[in-house]
């Protein structure tokens, strides 16, 4: 039963981090921009959402959507630092990430209480809630609430996935892809590629902030340390997803990224079974990431030698 | 009409490696001219193109297109009426996007890139016809990623994309240099066909003296930032590759190459 419980925890976290991974997919895969500001925008989304819910009493869904704006703004700063002031992509991310540490800390001071009574995952309707309390579901040893959380998360993730898929099919989406693929071409088309970079980073961090907001909802409280290690986590998710499923026809990159996030999160949760105190968690996290990168090269080499079928992803490690 | 007036360009000013490439450089290109530019390495051919496109700034002088000074315009802005094909076939297309997507991007140049569908299906037949006219069988590969095409095929697509919308100028920056001789020949013939069909004004930098003689309506030879040979009209038509090879050898000997 411990194993099953861990699996469900892993799935809950995984779907939450899938939103994070979708954001990082935009900056890392589409724009080819290793954006480190993610470590700052994830808790930013969390704290903004928590303040909106606890101080202003906004409904959870609205608070989550509004936290997108906070991430969007932070991403814009990273973009402007890089594009307009010519700061290298890694440093621009580090600057914003560091700055946001203080911003989120200051914002935390606004919170007189932490801990939400209602979250996006709580239902007022008894009928809906009872759907998940059937003996069939609880037979697996978990409360119905846990399965309901999974369902709600799944709906949110699929909604964002569809939005991103649709967006990437528009002319604007094409330009974003072109900016990451071949910046010279965007300039040749008479457009300022820098603006598309800024927009892409803003959108990416907007999604990251939403992930942070959902994360705060998941734990019913805001955690100021929730941001650390999120870049690694998100990159690992994106790379796992694209390496394993990026080549499969009919699986879109966005779906692959979501599955990647779930797989990675499950792996991390099983690691906790071994390391119950969580002391070595970050180290294991890093080692896992390194292993993924090493395998990614091997798998890419294998596929490039044996198959002509290509899809985005193999170049990104 | 393109006019370069009294252009001065100094690289690394104020340092020991300071080099004055252009000093009081003048060039006028009339509408409808197809100018081939030849010259040894370092003679200023590519710098000339970069100055026109705004990839590097001019130090002094004026660049006029249709009588309007474009020095203040940023690079991307100038490309709204300039098409450019680079030496590297990878620079003219997006490798991770399909031919159809690439063509759609190029087709939309000059229009807003908003939240409407990226591919206009109604135009797909037009793209297919355009690709078929290349004679490379690309019309059956519309949904193939450009990155999996050969260099020659990519360059052909780049050429189509660069000339898809109305242009003031077509800039060809040694666009056949990275291709094998046979493919280079095909691309060169395509270029000539497109320039003639669309009545484009084109400037082509090339290292292939034969192309410079056979194609185009005007030939320039450059050396150390100066035009040392400028032939147009009948004089250009009567030129032989051997004639300019002779002149080319002379300047090369002076340089010690």
């Amino acid at each position: 039963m411990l194993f099953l419980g861990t699996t469900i925890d892993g799935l809950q976290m995984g779907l939450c981090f899938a939103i994070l991974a979708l954001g990082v997919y935009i900056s890392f895969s589409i724009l080819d921009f290793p954006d480190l500001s993610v470590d700052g925008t994830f808790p930013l989304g969390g704290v903004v959402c928590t303040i909106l819910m606890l101080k202003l009493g906004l409904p959870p869904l609205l608070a989550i959507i509004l936290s997108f704006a906070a991430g969007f703004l932070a991403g814009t700063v990273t973009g402007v630092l890089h594009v307009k002031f010519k700061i290298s992509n890694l440093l621009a991310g580090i600057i914003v990430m560091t700055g946001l540490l203080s911003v989120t800390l200051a914002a935390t001071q606004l919170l007189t209480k932490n801990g939400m009574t209602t979250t996006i995952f709580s239902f007022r309707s008894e009928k809906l809630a009872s759907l998940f309390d059937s003996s069939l579901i609880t037979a697996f040893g978990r409360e119905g609430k846990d399965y309901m959380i999974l369902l709600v998360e799944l709906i949110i993730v699929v909604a964002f996935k569809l939005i991103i898929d649709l967006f990437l099919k528009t002319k604007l989406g094409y330009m974003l892809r072109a900016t990451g693929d071949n910046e010279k071409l965007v300039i040749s088309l008479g457009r300022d590629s820098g603006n598309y970079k800024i927009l892409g980073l803003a959108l990416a961090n907007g999604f990251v902030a939403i992930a942070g907001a959902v994360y705060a909802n998941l734990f019913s409280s805001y955690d100021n340390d929730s941001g650390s290690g999120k870049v690694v986590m998100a990159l690992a998710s994106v790379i796992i997803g694209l390496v394993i499923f990026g080549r499969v026809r009919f699986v879109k990159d966005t779906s692959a990224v979501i599955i990647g996030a779930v797989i990675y999160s499950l792996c991390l949760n099983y690691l906790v079974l071994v390391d119950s105190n969580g002391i070595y968690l970050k180290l294991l996290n890093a080692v896992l990431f390194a292993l993924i990168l090493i395998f990614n090269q091997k798998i890419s080499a294998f596929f490039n030698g044996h198959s002509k079928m290509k899809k985005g992803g193999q170049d990104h490690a | 009409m393109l006019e370069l007036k009294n252009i001065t360009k100094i690289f690394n000013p104020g340092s020991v490696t300071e080099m004055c490439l252009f000093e009081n450089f003048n060039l006028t290109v009339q509408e409808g001219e197809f100018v081939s530019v030849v010259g040894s390495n370092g003679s200023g051919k590519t710098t000339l193109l970069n100055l026109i496109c705004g990839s590097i700034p001019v130090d002094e002088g004026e660049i006029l297109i249709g009588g309007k000074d474009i020095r203040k315009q940023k690079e991307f802005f100038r490309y709204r009426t300039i098409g450019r094909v680079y030496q590297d076939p990878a620079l003219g297309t997006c490798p991770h996007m399909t031919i159809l997507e690439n063509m759609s991007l190029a087709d939309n140049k000059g229009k807003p890139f908003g939240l409407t569908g990226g591919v206009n299906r109604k135009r797909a037949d037009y793209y297919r016809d355009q690709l078929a006219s290349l004679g490379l069988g690309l019309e059956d590969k519309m949904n193939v990623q450009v990155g999996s095409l050969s260099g020659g095929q990519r360059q052909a697509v780049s050429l189509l994309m660069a000339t898809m919308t109305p242009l003031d100028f077509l800039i060809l920056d040694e666009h056949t240099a990275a291709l094998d001789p046979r493919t280079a020949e095909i691309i060169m013939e395509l270029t000539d066909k497109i320039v003639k069909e669309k009545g484009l004004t084109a400037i082509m930098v090339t290292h292939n003296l034969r192309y410079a003689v056979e194609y185009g309506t005007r030939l320039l030879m450059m050396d150390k930032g100066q035009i040392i040979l400028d032939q147009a009209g009948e004089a250009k038509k009567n030129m032989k590759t051997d004639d300019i090879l002779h002149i080319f050898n002379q300047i090369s000997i002076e340089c010690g190459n």
Side-chain angles (χ1 to χ4, degrees), chain A residues 128-151:
Chain A
L128 261 175
S130 66
L131 272 180
F132 292 88
D133 278 327
S134 71
S135 55
L136 189 69
I137 285 174
T138 46
F140 289 109
R142 272 304 183 111
E143 283 176 50
K145 186 172 170 288
D146 287 312
Y147 297 98
M148 203 161 69
I149 288 176
L150 280 182
L151 185 73

Side-chain angles (χ1 to χ4, degrees), chain A residues 164-171 173-174 177 252, chain B residues 116-119:
Chain A
I164 293 176
D165 281 347
L166 276 178
F167 174 71
L168 290 177
K169 284 214 171 85
T170 63
K171 292 194 172 82
Y174 274 26
R177 288 164 64 192
K252 284 218 170 71
Chain B
T116 50
V119 175

Side-chain angles (χ1 to χ4, degrees), chain B residues 171-203:
Chain B
I171 304 276
L172 303 159
D173 186 359
E174 297 183 38
H175 71 306
T176 58
L179 309 173
D180 69 67
R182 208 183 74 85
T183 315
E185 200 76 35
I186 294 172
I187 296 293
M188 198 53 234
E189 278 166 20
L190 275 171
T191 310
D192 194 46
K193 197 178 116 200
I194 290 173
V195 168
K196 278 181 183 153
E197 265 175 16
K198 306 205 171 188
L200 294 172
T201 311
I203 303 175

